[in-house]
Amino acid sequence: MDKKPIDKGLLLDSLLETSPDWIYFKDLHHRFVLVSRTKARTLRKSPEGLLGKTDCDFYPEDIAEESRKDDQWVLDNEEPIITKEEKVPDPGGGRSWVSTTKAPRYDRSGNLAGTLGISRDITERKDQEVKLESVQALAREIKLTNTRRELHKLV
């Protein structure tokens, strides 16, 4: 079998072009330096249109500030934040749920260079959880009502 060197740049480009997840890389000042097509599409921009921008350029202040705080925590502690569930605006004006992982990013010399993140849309799962909670609450209410009826029959 012919062993050709793997073109890591091509692999990264493929990942950024095809992944359904939001993938993004930021510098030490929380500015985007590389963004997946899905993340850019969500913000109604091209990937190149996000470069040099921060979350403050696209999100309401509270959401942008939360993201900045998370990024800064990752930079300060050089530790990842793993699968944080958060509500974010969607292009239609509503809100979606994402599960976000952020980690420190280093340059070739091992110096801290920024953060990287991956966010996955979990809106459907969260909607199902809300429906399940409603069904469970209804079941508890029915059970309680039936128990009351049985007690009234005894009295």
Side-chain angles (χ1 to χ4, degrees):
M1 181 155 77
D2 187 24
K3 288 194 172 187
K4 294 182 180 178
I6 295 173
D7 183 342
K8 292 179 183 176
L10 183 59
L11 292 176
L12 178 61
D13 288 346
S14 295
L15 179 66
L16 294 173
E17 285 294 316
T18 62
S19 176
D21 295 337
W22 305 347
I23 303 170
Y24 41 94
F25 300 83
K26 297 178 182 178
D27 65 16
L28 294 170
H29 303 286
H30 316 296
R31 296 178 297 222
F32 293 107
V33 296
L34 190 61
V35 181
S36 68
R37 182 152 309 282
T38 303
K39 172 71 172 169
R41 190 178 308 123
T42 300
L43 296 174
R44 298 184 176 184
K45 299 285 182 190
S46 69
E48 300 76 25
L50 295 178
L51 304 183
K53 307 281 187 189
T54 69
D55 289 312
C56 294
D57 294 306
F58 305 104
Y59 291 114
E61 186 177 338
D62 59 330
I63 291 171
E65 180 60 18
E66 183 73 18
S67 179
R68 189 202 64 73
K69 283 180 182 177
D70 288 347
D71 289 343
Q72 193 60 52
W73 187 92
V74 168
L75 293 172
D76 291 344
N77 295 283
E78 294 190 46
E79 294 279 334
I81 294 173
I82 300 174
T83 61
K84 177 181 179 181
E85 294 184 0
E86 50 195 346
K87 218 168 188 185
V88 295
D90 67 27
R95 295 278 175 136
S96 297
W97 283 94
V98 295
S99 174
T100 298
T101 295
K102 293 183 177 186
R105 184 175 62 80
Y106 301 91
D107 64 19
R108 291 187 188 274
S109 300
N111 299 311
L112 187 62
T115 59
L116 62 90
I118 300 175
S119 298
R120 173 166 286 171
D121 187 333
I122 58 167
T123 305
E124 187 174 323
R125 188 192 89 208
K126 294 298 276 187
D127 289 347
Q128 292 300 321
E129 287 174 3
V130 168
K131 288 177 185 174
L132 179 60
E133 288 170 8
S134 295
V135 168
Q136 289 172 334
L138 181 59
R140 284 190 299 272
E141 184 61 35
I142 290 170
K143 186 176 180 180
L144 183 60
T145 300
N146 289 339
T147 301
R148 286 182 184 145
R149 284 185 188 144
E150 292 299 317
L151 286 174
H152 283 297
K153 287 180 185 177
L154 294 174
V155 175

